[in-house]
Amino acid sequence: MSDAAQPTAAEVRAAAEAVKTALDRHLAAVERRSGEDDPAVSEAFNQLAAAAEVYDELLYDRYDEVTPFEIPGAEEALPPYAGPDEPNAISVLIRRDYTVVEPQRLLAQAQRIEAAEYDDRADDDEAARSVPGALGILFGEFEPDEIASRHKEFGLEEGDSTLWVTAAEEPPEAGEWLEAPFENFDPQQVVCRFDVSAVFDDETSDIEDDDIDFVEEDHEHPEDDGEHEGDDGDEDELEPLDAGK
């Protein structure tokens, strides 16, 4: 960033004061909270998060320094649950991301399915000869959970995934939302959510590395060589099963 675009010291100081004020408001809201999902606390939290984000950005731009803490942005937090106390229906929203890392493996699997299902038309059907067509065959043949557990067999690599459970008073009418299944979504109806992401793995990578080193040191004991050779053979036999999980 150029010097002309840098914030002034006064702007950084004002942002710091805004964080202090937001901290006081958040503490006051917590002290006066009326229940677990008090909207005043949520609002104070969002204001504190916004103020901290502004301060962090200005501090970095001006002094090339960061704060020792991280507050999630307001857009990252779900609003308090405002759905029915005893829902009669739920909807499960799932997103799973994959990367096509081995297109030839994907095509081969789709062609194998086509050959098994349509022996007399396999050579004439071009669907299994393109990646979009192969994906259509794959997801038409297997349930999403099975694809998730066997993704490596299909030349796919897992990315982030999330599962949201939403509540409703009554189930929708049959076919009601088929034209636009992901529209009219109300975040306040979310009962719970579960996220899987590589960023969570990065947070514990140091601990995992320490564990791996410890195991490797154990394997170096001479008296255990025969046993570990047998274990290695078992691991090789189980590798295809592990790759499918």
Side-chain angles (χ1 to χ4, degrees):
M1 178 178 291
S2 66
D3 293 338
Q6 284 186 345
T8 64
E11 289 174 328
V12 178
R13 172 63 61 179
E17 293 299 327
V19 172
K20 297 175 185 178
T21 300
L23 276 169
D24 290 337
R25 290 175 178 170
H26 182 259
L27 177 58
V30 170
E31 292 173 337
R32 299 192 305 266
R33 72 188 315 159
S34 59
E36 184 177 352
D37 297 325
D38 190 333
V41 175
S42 298
E43 178 64 22
F45 172 87
N46 291 338
Q47 291 177 355
L48 175 58
E53 183 177 1
V54 171
Y55 171 63
D56 191 77
E57 291 179 356
L58 294 178
L59 185 70
Y60 182 80
D61 291 343
R62 175 68 186 183
Y63 299 109
D64 197 23
E65 187 58 75
V66 296
T67 56
F69 51 84
E70 182 179 354
I71 300 177
E75 68 279 359
E76 297 177 4
L78 287 172
Y81 175 71
D85 293 334
E86 297 183 5
N88 296 314
I90 64 170
S91 294
V92 181
L93 309 180
I94 300 176
R95 171 172 175 167
R96 293 188 177 117
D97 289 351
Y98 297 95
T99 302
V100 180
V101 292
E102 297 183 80
Q104 292 306 316
R105 180 183 290 270
L106 174 66
L107 294 172
Q109 290 283 14
Q111 290 166 11
R112 187 176 296 114
I113 295 171
E114 284 287 90
E117 294 292 332
Y118 310 106
D119 290 335
D120 57 340
R121 297 193 295 112
D123 294 336
D124 298 330
D125 197 333
E126 296 295 325
R129 306 187 187 280
S130 69
V131 171
L135 289 171
I137 293 171
L138 178 66
F139 281 88
E141 178 71 14
F142 299 105
E143 293 291 333
D145 287 343
E146 184 172 2
I147 293 176
S149 66
R150 300 174 57 189
H151 61 278
K152 290 185 178 180
E153 295 180 30
F154 305 125
L156 304 176
E157 182 178 284
E158 284 183 313
D160 290 354
S161 66
T162 187
L163 183 151
W164 296 34
V165 180
T166 66
E169 292 283 3
E170 299 294 338
E173 296 291 335
E176 179 180 336
W177 48 258
L178 290 180
E179 292 185 1
F182 302 109
E183 290 186 358
N184 302 319
F185 168 68
D186 184 357
Q188 289 188 303
Q189 302 292 102
V190 176
V191 177
C192 57
R193 62 177 290 181
F194 304 94
D195 302 318
V196 177
S197 175
V199 298
F200 303 141
D201 297 335
D202 294 340
E203 294 173 359
T204 59
S205 60
D206 293 339
I207 297 176
E208 292 175 352
D209 289 343
D210 291 341
D211 291 341
I212 292 172
D213 290 339
F214 181 78
V215 171
E216 289 175 349
E217 290 173 4
D218 280 353
H219 285 182
E220 291 174 359
H221 290 297
E223 62 271 23
D224 294 338
D225 286 347
E227 180 180 349
H228 292 313
E229 288 176 1
D231 292 343
D232 289 340
D234 293 341
E235 290 175 358
D236 290 340
E237 293 176 1
L238 293 175
E239 186 175 354
L241 180 58
D242 292 340
K245 291 184 178 180

